[in-house]
Amino acid sequence: MHRQTKLRLQLMLGTALLAAPVSAFAQTAPIQTAPAPVANAPVGLDDIVVTATKRETNLQDTPISISVMNSEALQNRHVQSLMDLADGAVPSLRVATFEARQSALTIGIRGIVPNDANQPAREQGVGVYVDGVYLARQHGLASALLDIERVEVLKGPQGTLFGRNTEGGALSLVTKKPTGVFGMRAVAGVGNLESYNSELHVDFPAIGDFAFKVDGVLQVQGPVTENILPGETGFGQYDRRGLRFQTRWTPSENFTADLAADVGKDKNTPFYSQLLNFNPNGLTVVPFTSASVPSGSIRALSPLVQVEGSKRMTQADIGVPQQWSVDDTRGVDLHMSYRPTDALEIRSITAYRDLDVEQYDNIAGAHRPPVVGPNGKFSRYSLAGFWQHQFSQELQAVGSLGDSIDYVGGVFYFKETVSDDASTPSTNQWNADGTGYTILDPTPTIRGFRSMDRKSTAHSESKAIYGQATWTPASMDALHLTVGGRYTWDDKDGTLELVNNALPVVNGVSGELQFNSKVDRFDPLVTLAYDVSDNINVYGKYSTGYRAGGASSRSLTYRSFDPEEVKAYELGLKSDLFDRRVRLNAAIYAMDRTDSQIDFSLVTVQGASTRNTLETINAPGTTKIRGLELEGQFRATDNLTLSASYAYTDAKVPDTVNPFNGQTQKVFIAFTPENAASFAADWNSPFMGATLKAHVDANYADASHSFEQFEIKNDSSFVVNARVAIADITTRDGGPLLEVALWSRNLLDETYVYRRDPSNRGTLGDYGNFNNPRTFGIELRASY
């Protein structure tokens, strides 16, 4: 985007955010005495409760940059999975598929975006939590959401209260709990792309001291791109199913125990990878039938191959074998709370989770290597298994000392075992002139018959002790000083067992490769907050965080790398203005990251298969990330609420040596647009004895990099979502309340490339993946 265009965007967004308070001010005449109440004055904005500090606090009183989406906001955007937040609903939060696979998500905040964190010894830079339980892997994050009460996006390092792998922030999902009072909510819907969905949430009447709740979810969508090979699945499909059971035991007023168990199955296929251009380097083109390709030349495409860089293909040009990828997730957690006094609560969170993934990815046909000629084998089928189990235990003490000190302290333990394997056979073979192809014997794709590119196992064990206290002086109750710290002991080890279907070989010596890492570190936090008035708060904060080191199982030598660390400085404003009709929050920050983990990859062809070798390097010097975040809401009338948010992110990584060619080159941060913004309008009014609800949101993001080693960017994006509903429809006495809704995601059917790979420019061209097309549907909701 040109500088003038960026300036116009920033001015437009700033004007939009400030328009609310200006408009409100323009409607208020200067009066010397208190005005009489206005009968039709709009109601103020609601308080928002968050748990970012391990206790329930008002969002506006919490000196952290936080964005919150409640259940209604998720419903308005038809958010069924975390992957749906890729539209930019929260501008600082970036969500993308790893490669083009729905089976693993890349999640970033404030420019902390891991590129390839789906290996056993790799870590995320943003922590994902469900009811306080850490989810350690990218895999399984696209599973169906199960009755979410709210999503909290905590921006900036959360190293003190949340710990390892939260250097960019934390994504905290809070679910709805049993009430002990009978209630039932049911959802059924259908839409385009052969989609349908259903939900059932039942709160059972209490039995003695016990309350019970059951949640079930089903989400299905057909292919975005059809596979022309008969009997095979298409691309961009999903079939997500989830079930959770909860029970709450309350034997006394000061003790509560919540036990929950969940199981999920996410069947999905990756998005189709299109050849966006051919021969962008302008090399000499030799015929497809040539026996060889001289240096400086490129082989012509088969006449069957389509080059399409401007629109999404709805039908693949080459038919390929493609099975469902399957993510199976299971977990159980126990939350206990004991309140011996009004000033102290002792909590325990015990959790066990496991994850099994079988990945099948044959998304490109002849659009990426291996690039072959007559009778050559092609179409890389990326097959992988991924298995993980984790145990965590956390004890917390949350309390107050008099009226001046609030504190939280705790201990944390986490243990994890992860293993994977991968192979990449070719599934198709050209005929002599490229006018046809055959499907190869599927035996090499069957587990037990595969030639393994790699196989590895890693273990992690982390222990931590932390504490944080906020002091409000009795003589100056508008001032709040928060000091905290966390000491962590991290132990990791791993084994690379196979490389290219044999024991690894380094310097002529074969044998399994090992890595071991022990890291002790302290992460402090200091925040000074001041209440300018009852409704205006300002704060300054210093915090740190880190992402654990590890080793790349895609490396031929199991090259290890160190943790990366970040120091962050932030100034913030929280304000409710004009009788709480206007809310304006802002944060400006600077983050300095050292030992940035940078990924370099090299794809090589080995016979009928290809290998993606990846090395992770700690960049020299300091990565500088600077940014601004704005969020505003305006209750224009009792019926209309407007909201807007904006994020500016500037990130500069020091030049780093590419380990494959030894050259120092520019490197970048992936999936981090310089400018991103979101705007929404919500209407709610009586309608023929029911309630009319209407929602529209628009989300923009600049083009950003898809890979850390390539300067080329993907496309900018502009996505509009909408929903209109008639709610609170009464039925017979004692019958359910009904709601009928029409919804659409990507209402304008915007088409853009969200992931672009230029690594094959010398042999083929860029290939990439387009966003989802417009989806729409009708939904019926019933509640008792």
Side-chain angles (χ1 to χ4, degrees):
M1 177 181 287
H2 297 297
R3 183 179 301 274
Q4 291 180 345
T5 306
K6 292 180 181 177
L7 181 59
R8 286 197 298 270
L9 173 64
Q10 292 168 3
L11 289 172
M12 178 187 73
L13 293 166
T15 302
L17 284 166
L18 294 174
V22 170
S23 301
F25 183 79
Q27 296 170 17
T28 307
I31 301 174
Q32 300 300 321
T33 58
V38 180
N40 296 321
V43 177
L45 294 164
D46 295 332
D47 287 336
I48 299 174
V49 175
V50 296
T51 54
T53 58
K54 304 293 187 182
R55 65 173 74 231
E56 290 190 348
T57 58
N58 187 327
L59 171 68
Q60 296 304 99
D61 297 331
T62 307
I64 301 173
S65 182
I66 310 173
S67 295
V68 179
M69 296 184 70
N70 62 18
S71 58
E72 185 174 8
L74 297 172
Q75 179 179 303
N76 283 337
R77 290 174 174 264
H78 199 66
V79 173
Q80 301 182 103
S81 157
L82 288 181
M83 196 166 70
D84 292 327
L85 297 181
D87 62 6
V90 179
S92 289
L93 173 69
R94 309 316 300 177
V95 179
T97 60
F98 172 72
E99 295 284 338
R101 301 164 191 157
Q102 300 186 70
S103 57
L105 295 184
T106 296
I107 296 180
I109 297 176
R110 285 187 175 179
I112 304 295
V113 186
N115 193 11
D116 183 1
N118 75 331
Q119 304 173 44
R122 299 295 303 273
E123 306 290 346
Q124 304 177 80
V126 171
V128 180
Y129 297 80
V130 176
D131 292 332
V133 176
Y134 175 54
L135 306 184
R137 294 292 122 193
Q138 286 183 315
H139 294 83
L141 293 184
S143 299
L145 296 177
L146 283 163
D147 209 17
I148 300 298
E149 181 175 292
R150 66 180 181 274
V151 176
E152 300 179 12
V153 183
L154 284 60
K155 306 165 195 173
Q158 306 296 319
T160 300
L161 292 184
F162 289 86
R164 68 198 297 263
N165 304 331
T166 58
E167 59 170 347
L171 185 62
S172 177
L173 283 67
V174 180
T175 66
K176 295 180 180 179
K177 304 299 186 294
T179 64
V181 177
F182 176 75
M184 184 175 72
R185 290 170 288 123
V187 181
V190 295
N192 66 328
L193 295 179
E194 306 171 21
S195 68
Y196 57 93
N197 65 287
S198 61
E199 301 178 26
L200 182 63
H201 310 284
V202 182
D203 259 307
F204 294 94
I207 301 176
D209 300 330
F210 292 90
F212 304 92
K213 183 172 183 284
V214 175
D215 302 293
V217 175
L218 169 66
Q219 304 164 358
V220 176
Q221 179 186 282
V224 173
T225 303
E226 298 284 350
N227 188 349
I228 63 174
L229 185 63
E232 300 298 316
T233 59
F235 305 99
Q237 295 184 236
Y238 60 77
D239 182 338
R240 310 179 188 128
R241 300 160 190 254
L243 181 66
R244 181 177 59 213
F245 172 81
Q246 298 181 79
T247 182
R248 168 167 286 187
W249 180 42
T250 313
S252 64
E253 292 183 353
N254 63 349
F255 180 83
T256 302
D258 290 312
L259 178 66
D262 65 87
V263 60
K265 181 178 287 291
D266 177 12
K267 296 167 59 180
N268 58 78
T269 57
F271 296 109
Y272 194 58
S273 290
Q274 298 180 201
L275 187 59
L276 304 176
N277 52 49
F278 174 67
N279 192 20
N281 294 341
L283 304 176
T284 300
V285 180
V286 301
F288 177 87
T289 54
S290 297
S292 62
V293 179
S295 177
S297 301
I298 190 170
R299 186 184 298 277
L301 297 174
S302 155
L304 300 179
V305 176
Q306 299 176 20
V307 179
E308 180 53 77
S310 62
K311 63 182 181 180
R312 184 186 308 103
M313 294 174 65
T314 58
Q315 185 179 79
D317 50 3
I318 304 291
V320 298
Q322 176 65 63
Q323 298 175 238
W324 289 103
S325 293
V326 182
D327 295 15
D328 284 315
T329 57
R330 295 165 293 272
V332 59
D333 56 86
L334 174 64
H335 291 62
M336 294 187 290
S337 168
Y338 174 57
R339 296 168 294 281
T341 70
D342 291 341
L344 174 62
E345 180 181 5
I346 299 172
R347 304 173 184 161
S348 170
I349 304 175
T350 308
Y352 174 84
R353 301 200 62 81
D354 63 37
L355 169 70
D356 296 335
V357 178
E358 285 290 347
Q359 170 198 299
Y360 294 88
D361 173 357
N362 201 355
I363 53 173
H367 295 174
R368 66 178 181 183
V371 181
V372 293
N375 304 309
K377 296 177 180 179
F378 72 101
S379 195
R380 176 182 187 265
Y381 205 0
S382 179
L383 311 171
F386 193 91
W387 304 273
Q388 182 251 14
H389 58 86
Q390 64 175 68
F391 171 79
S392 60
Q393 173 64 57
E394 185 168 7
L395 298 175
Q396 302 171 356
V398 181
S400 301
L401 298 176
D403 296 328
S404 60
I405 295 178
D406 292 332
Y407 66 88
V408 57
V411 294
F412 176 76
Y413 178 78
F414 174 82
K415 190 170 185 178
E416 175 190 38
T417 298
V418 197
S419 58
D420 78 337
D421 63 24
S423 62
T424 52
S426 295
T427 59
N428 294 30
Q429 185 171 14
W430 290 118
N431 64 6
D433 59 4
T435 59
Y437 56 89
T438 57
I439 305 301
L440 296 170
D441 180 359
T443 300
T445 70
I446 300 172
R447 182 165 293 284
F449 295 91
R450 298 175 183 174
S451 175
M452 293 296 177
D453 291 353
R454 69 178 190 272
K455 182 180 180 182
S456 70
T457 299
H459 307 91
S460 296
E461 186 175 33
S462 183
K463 301 176 283 290
I465 183 170
Y466 62 89
Q468 181 172 300
T470 299
W471 175 51
T472 302
S475 59
M476 191 182 296
D477 60 4
L479 185 68
H480 315 282
L481 175 64
T482 301
V483 178
R486 185 184 192 104
Y487 201 91
T488 303
W489 297 264
D490 253 357
D491 294 344
K492 292 185 68 174
D493 65 78
T495 303
L496 183 60
E497 303 162 48
L498 291 176
V499 172
N500 297 332
N501 212 44
L503 288 173
V505 179
V506 178
N507 297 324
V509 179
S510 65
E512 294 183 345
L513 301 178
Q514 314 284 336
F515 97 92
N516 288 276
S517 171
K518 292 182 180 294
V519 175
D520 299 352
R521 62 172 289 113
F522 178 70
D523 286 296
L525 174 140
V526 178
T527 303
L528 185 63
Y530 184 73
D531 302 332
V532 178
S533 68
D534 288 343
N535 295 312
I536 300 177
N537 310 301
V538 295
Y539 68 89
K541 183 172 70 169
Y542 168 77
S543 59
T544 67
Y546 79 105
R547 176 156 59 128
S552 172
S553 60
R554 299 184 191 269
S555 167
L556 297 175
T557 61
Y558 210 31
R559 181 199 293 260
S560 62
F561 49 88
D562 294 331
E564 62 181 26
E565 306 174 4
V566 67
K567 296 178 179 178
Y569 311 85
E570 180 177 325
L571 297 175
L573 164 74
K574 302 283 185 82
S575 63
D576 283 338
L577 308 171
F578 306 104
D579 296 325
R580 293 170 53 88
R581 290 172 53 200
V582 173
R583 178 167 294 157
L584 180 62
N585 296 340
I588 184 170
Y589 64 88
M591 301 201 306
D592 294 333
R593 185 175 68 176
T594 55
D595 290 321
S596 297
Q597 297 169 11
I598 305 297
D599 290 342
F600 292 90
S601 65
L602 180 67
V603 177
T604 56
V605 179
Q606 301 172 343
S609 66
T610 59
R611 176 185 171 83
N612 181 9
T613 301
L614 184 140
E615 303 285 359
T616 301
I617 305 298
N618 290 110
T622 301
T623 296
K624 296 184 180 296
I625 305 173
R626 307 291 185 258
L628 168 69
E629 296 161 343
L630 300 173
E631 289 198 0
Q633 283 185 292
F634 175 35
R635 179 65 62 84
T637 70
D638 282 348
N639 308 116
L640 178 64
T641 301
L642 305 177
S643 59
S645 53
Y646 168 71
Y648 169 78
T649 310
D650 178 64
K652 292 181 173 61
V653 188
D655 294 353
T656 304
V657 175
N658 185 323
F660 294 110
N661 60 25
Q663 300 295 312
T664 300
Q665 67 165 74
K666 291 183 179 180
V667 291
F668 310 91
I669 292 180
F671 299 113
T672 302
E674 186 174 8
N675 296 281
S678 180
F679 173 82
D682 291 277
W683 176 270
N684 193 314
S685 65
F687 179 77
M688 299 178 63
T691 303
L692 172 65
K693 296 182 177 182
H695 168 89
V696 63
D697 62 78
N699 312 277
Y700 171 82
D702 280 348
S704 61
H705 300 90
S706 301
F707 297 90
E708 294 163 326
Q709 75 185 93
F710 297 124
E711 189 167 5
I712 192 169
K713 293 184 177 182
N714 53 34
D715 297 340
S716 61
S717 63
F718 180 72
V719 177
V720 175
N721 308 307
R723 186 177 190 267
V724 60
I726 305 298
D728 304 322
I729 302 171
T730 57
T731 57
R732 59 181 175 78
D733 291 343
L737 286 176
L738 301 180
E739 176 177 314
V740 180
L742 297 173
W743 61 268
S744 178
R745 290 183 58 81
N746 192 11
L747 177 66
L748 305 182
D749 204 18
E750 174 82 358
T751 300
Y752 60 91
V753 175
Y754 77 87
R755 179 181 174 275
R756 182 186 299 268
D757 190 337
S759 58
N760 306 314
R761 287 191 157 196
T763 57
L764 199 58
D766 297 346
Y767 75 93
N769 307 100
F770 282 86
N771 66 309
N772 266 320
R774 174 172 50 220
T775 54
F776 55 87
I778 185 170
E779 209 169 56
L780 174 65
R781 292 174 177 263
S783 60
Y784 287 88

